């Protein structure tokens, strides 16, 4: 069975191979209401590569900056104690739509 939750992303190219970007959890309102917290696992080169957020009103959005492409993992902890594991390949693109190589 697939999860009713997914990871979404947005980005803004700042220039000089650098982006501001964010990821968040998408799901129906009642499903998001059942989420207690989300623990984001970023690439190990990030300062604080493991970050736990409880900001339900922002869909547990993580805002940061960087470059490249890597796998982001999220552990979604429900109020019942159940943990749902999600994965998302962060892919940043230049203004012309060309994806980054690394």
């Amino acid at each position: 069975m697939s999860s009713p939750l997914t990871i979404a992303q947005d980005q803004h190219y700042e220039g000089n191979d650098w982006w501001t970007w964010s990821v968040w959890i998408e799901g129906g309102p009642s499903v998001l209401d059942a989420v207690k917290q989300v623990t984001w696992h970023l690439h190990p080169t990030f300062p604080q590569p493991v970050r736990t957020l409880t900001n339900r009103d922002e869909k547990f959005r993580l805002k940061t900056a960087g470059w490249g492409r890597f796998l982001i993992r999220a552990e979604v902890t429900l109020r019942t104690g159940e943990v749902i594991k999600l994965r998302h390949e962060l892919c940043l693109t230049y203004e012309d739509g060309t994806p980054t190589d690394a």
Side-chain angles (χ1 to χ4, degrees), residues 49-93:
V50 178
R51 305 178 193 185
T52 300
L53 298 176
T54 58
N55 55 345
R56 160 61 180 97
D57 291 341
E58 295 181 16
K59 298 183 176 184
F60 308 93
R61 181 182 296 260
L62 170 69
K63 301 174 189 174
T64 191
W67 58 272
R69 163 182 246 161
F70 65 95
L71 180 68
I72 296 175
R73 294 181 299 114
E75 292 177 356
V76 179
T77 303
L78 303 181
R79 297 191 183 285
T80 63
E82 179 185 355
V83 175
I84 298 170
K85 295 183 179 187
L86 302 174
R87 299 160 56 107
H88 175 77
E89 183 75 25
L90 181 74
C91 181
L92 303 172
T93 58

Side-chain angles (χ1 to χ4, degrees), residues 20-41:
T20 53
W21 55 268
S22 62
V23 287
W24 65 92
I25 301 298
E26 281 292 342
S30 63
V31 176
L32 289 173
D33 287 343
V35 175
K36 177 181 178 182
Q37 67 185 32
V38 175
T39 301
W40 297 99
H41 297 266

